[in-house]
Structures are given as C-alpha cells and as structure tokens.
C-alpha cells in the first residue's frame, strides 16, 4: 500500500489538551494518516478509541498502520462522516465519551493526489469529494449550480471579493461546453480577476477552490452538527480539541465554544447566577494555540493552524 504521507499539525498540543485517562473512551473525528489516533492509543490501557473518516483511502491505510492497536481492541475504525457521531457510536454501544479531537480541512494525501481534484496546482478532473461514494462533486457545482448560488458560496465560503465576476465567467464558459478539469477552472478564475489583484494575496484560485470544496462536502454544516452532538455526549471532565486551518471554521468553533461557556443573559440586578444556569463548559485556552516556530519552519501547511479546547464542567 502507498505511504499515506501526512505531517500532523499541533499533534502533541491537541492530544495533551484532551487530558487523557488511560481507561477513557475517546474519538478521533478525523482519522487521516492516524497521527492523533496513534498518540491517543499510546496513552490508553483499558480505554478505547473510535476513529472516524469518510475517505476509504484513510480507512484502508490505517487498517495496516494501526493494526496492532485494532487487534488489541484499543481502536475501532468507523467509516462515516463525523456529522453522524451519535448514531455511529450508538452502533458501537457507546453513549458517552471522555474526549474528541477534530483536525479539520483536507489531509496532505488528498491535496497531493492530483486525481482527487482538490488542488489548483494540478490539472485533474473536477472532483473534491472527501467521500468518493457521494454523488455531488465539484464538477456538478461548477457546471450546474445557478449564478446566484455560485456567488453565494464563493463569497461566504471563500471570502472572495470577485465572486460575481468569477461566477459570470464560469457561466460564460459552461454555456459553450462543460468545464471538466481543475486546470480549466483555474484559467477561468484568473480571467475573471483583475490583473492588479492577481499580483497579491497568493494564488488567484485559492479562495474559489476552498469555497467549492467546502460546498461539495458541506464542511461547515457537518462541523456544526458534529460539535452539537459532541457537547451532548461528553462526560463531565471530558474535553474537545479542535484544530482549524481557515477563518470560517475557526469563527464557527469560537462562536460555539463561547455559547457553551458563557452565562446566559439574565435579568438586571441579580446578585448571583441562579442554580442551574451556570455554564456547563469552560474554555481551556481563551486564545487559540498556534504552532511553534520550529513547527512552522518544518511544515509550511501549519501556518494557518489554530487549536481551541473546551471542557465540560457539570
């Protein structure tokens, strides 16, 4: 089997943040290359880890990579989207967990495999599906979604200032013939962005590719649903560690963590917070943890990483 080359970002910080107990029940919501799963299981004796991934490539790789832990009964691989957290764990007889880690975004092997169509650096079929069994792909989004919907996702998920001109350019090209490859899409995006703007801010297709990928995989919707379930399933003293790589994800995590750890709005003049209205969670780090200088130098993909941790306290 081909090597699943992926350098896990903020590995030790995220796992340390879970405050692992050797007999606990934990979840790796984003198995990928198995970096977090390997480190978590090294700290377990009678405990168990359930590792999720919707990408069959990751599941197949980790059947070998984590073989000893699987045979020992420490790890169960779950091929599913983490948005189905509660239901998937219920099938395993698990009703509560002591911690869960999320390492969001696209793994290095997905980006580096040109055939997957995630990267604007390679000319490949338009795909971008994390779960290759789903029907919706980037080709469908680019060729079939109406102008208004394209503008919405490019603006909302890519924070692209030229969303309207890019959507118009896509419309013009697909009227002549379907847009088939990432290379074609890159050239269309370049054509739609003014030359002066193309000289700044990185690759001109970066924001659009992010937006289309997020839409294809419903990444923000899946994250919101999964976190809501994780809050409910977490035992007292349990923690959630979330590593994000883009501002939209981080903003969503920050907002949801703040909601869970804040006192609800109360009538003015109350001397104390009424019993039962105290927050059920507390933030472990008020500001996000970011990679060290050493990690930044050794892994260029770590530059945008942010880690947030929350704990259930009652």
């Amino acid at each position: 089997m081909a090597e699943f080359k992926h350098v896990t970002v903020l590995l030790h910080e995220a796992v340390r943040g879970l405050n692992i107990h050797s007999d606990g029940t934990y979840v790796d919501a984003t198995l990928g290359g198995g970096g977090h799963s390997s480190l978590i299981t090294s700290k377990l004796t009678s405990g168990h880890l359930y590792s999720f991934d919707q990408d069959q490539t990751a599941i197949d790789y980790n059947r070998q990579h984590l073989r000893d832990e699987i045979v020992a009964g420490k790890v169960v691989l779950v091929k599913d989207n983490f948005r189905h957290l509660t239901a998937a764990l219920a099938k395993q007889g698990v009703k509560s967990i002591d911690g869960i880690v999320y390492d969001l975004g696209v793994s290095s092997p997905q980006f580096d495999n040109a055939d997957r169509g995630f990267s604007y650096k390679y000319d490949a079929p338009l795909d971008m599906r994390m779960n290759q069994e789903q029907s919706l792909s980037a080709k469908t989004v680019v060729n079939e979604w109406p102008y208004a919907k394209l503008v919405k996702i490019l603006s909302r998920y890519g924070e692209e200032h030229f969303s309207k001109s890019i959507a118009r350019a896509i419309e013009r090209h697909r009227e002549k013939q379907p847009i088939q490859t990432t290379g074609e899409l890159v050239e269309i995006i370049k054509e739609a962005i003014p030359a002066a703007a193309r000289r700044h801010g990185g690759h001109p297709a970066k924001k659009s590719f992010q937006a289309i990928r997020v839409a294809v995989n419903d990444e923000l919707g899946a994250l919101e649903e999964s976190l809501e379930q994780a809050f409910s399933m977490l035992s007292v003293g349990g923690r959630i560690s979330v590593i994000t790589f883009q501002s939209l994800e981080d903003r969503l995590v920050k907002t949801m963590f703040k909601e869970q750890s804040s006192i609800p709005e109360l009538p003015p003049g109350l001397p104390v917070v009424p019993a039962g209205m105290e927050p059920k969670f507390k933030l472990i780090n008020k500001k996000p943890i970011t990679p060290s200088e050493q990690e930044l130098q050794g892994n260029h993909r770590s530059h945008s990483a942010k880690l947030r941790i929350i704990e259930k306290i009652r």
Side-chain angles (χ1 to χ4, degrees):
M1 180 178 295
E3 181 66 21
F4 198 95
K5 294 181 180 178
H6 177 73
V7 180
T8 306
V9 178
L10 290 168
L11 169 62
H12 294 281
E13 294 88 341
V15 174
R16 190 185 307 122
L18 291 178
N19 193 27
I20 289 174
H21 302 288
S22 61
D23 59 348
T25 300
Y26 296 90
V27 173
D28 182 350
T30 46
L31 172 60
H36 289 109
S37 288
S38 293
L39 187 55
I40 291 170
T41 52
S42 73
K43 299 177 182 298
L44 299 178
T45 52
S46 58
H48 295 87
L49 174 69
Y50 298 86
S51 297
F52 282 65
D53 210 298
Q54 59 183 331
D55 189 339
Q56 188 63 49
T57 303
I59 296 293
D60 291 342
Y61 170 75
N62 282 287
R63 283 200 181 109
Q64 295 298 318
H65 178 57
L66 298 173
R67 180 175 54 188
D68 292 344
E69 291 88 346
I70 293 169
V71 171
K74 283 187 177 183
V75 180
V76 174
L77 304 184
V78 181
K79 186 180 182 297
D80 207 338
N81 190 311
F82 57 51
R83 77 190 314 156
H84 305 136
L85 183 70
T86 304
L89 289 176
K91 291 179 182 177
Q92 303 291 336
V94 177
K95 296 181 180 179
S96 65
I97 57 177
D98 298 301
I100 180 170
V101 61
Y102 295 82
D103 183 4
L104 302 173
V106 181
S107 67
S108 298
Q110 289 172 327
F111 260 126
D112 294 338
N113 183 346
D115 294 340
R116 300 295 295 270
F118 284 106
S119 178
Y120 45 77
K121 296 179 181 178
Y122 309 114
D123 188 22
L126 278 170
D127 193 336
M128 302 193 194
R129 293 172 299 168
M130 292 181 180
N131 176 4
Q132 293 187 290
E133 295 176 10
Q134 75 175 39
S135 56
L136 180 64
S137 69
K139 184 178 179 181
T140 305
V141 171
V142 170
N143 287 288
E144 298 180 18
W145 282 19
Y147 165 80
K149 201 169 180 180
L150 287 176
V151 171
K152 181 179 178 181
I153 66 167
L154 292 171
S155 177
R156 182 176 294 181
Y157 300 153
E159 300 178 294
E160 173 56 74
H161 298 302
F162 300 100
S163 57
K164 291 181 180 179
S165 58
I166 292 170
R168 287 292 184 212
I170 288 172
E171 269 198 326
R172 286 196 303 272
H173 282 266
R174 72 188 188 187
E175 284 172 1
K176 300 173 187 174
Q177 61 184 35
I179 302 164
Q180 303 280 5
T181 70
T182 55
E184 291 174 58
L185 182 59
V186 166
E187 293 306 313
I188 292 167
I189 293 168
K190 285 182 178 177
E191 167 196 309
I193 297 177
R198 292 202 303 268
R199 289 193 285 269
H200 306 283
H203 196 285
K206 181 178 180 179
K207 293 179 179 179
S208 296
F209 269 60
Q210 173 183 297
I212 295 167
R213 189 202 81 217
V214 169
V216 166
N217 299 288
D218 190 23
E219 292 177 34
L220 295 178
L223 175 59
E224 184 173 7
E225 287 181 29
S226 187
L227 281 175
E228 291 287 4
Q229 294 169 61
F231 292 140
S232 296
M233 294 195 73
L234 208 62
S235 302
V236 174
R239 292 184 177 184
I240 303 172
S241 290
V242 186
I243 303 168
T244 62
F245 289 87
Q246 46 117 325
S247 59
L248 294 173
E249 292 171 340
D250 183 61
R251 199 176 304 145
L252 175 60
V253 174
K254 180 181 179 181
T255 299
M256 293 182 74
F257 278 16
K258 184 178 180 181
E259 290 170 353
Q260 294 292 334
S261 59
S262 300
I263 299 170
E265 191 171 333
L266 301 171
L270 285 180
V272 294
V273 178
M277 297 192 72
E278 303 96 337
K280 293 183 179 180
F281 292 81
K282 71 173 182 180
L283 298 177
I284 298 302
N285 54 319
K286 292 186 177 180
K287 292 186 177 180
I289 298 168
T290 55
S292 65
E293 282 299 320
Q294 183 178 0
E295 184 166 17
L296 289 172
Q297 292 174 10
N299 182 6
H300 72 279
R301 286 177 174 165
S302 69
H303 280 260
S304 58
K306 292 181 178 180
L307 168 63
R308 296 184 186 274
I309 306 166
I310 196 168
E311 178 181 324
K312 194 167 194 173
I313 55 177
R314 71 175 188 87

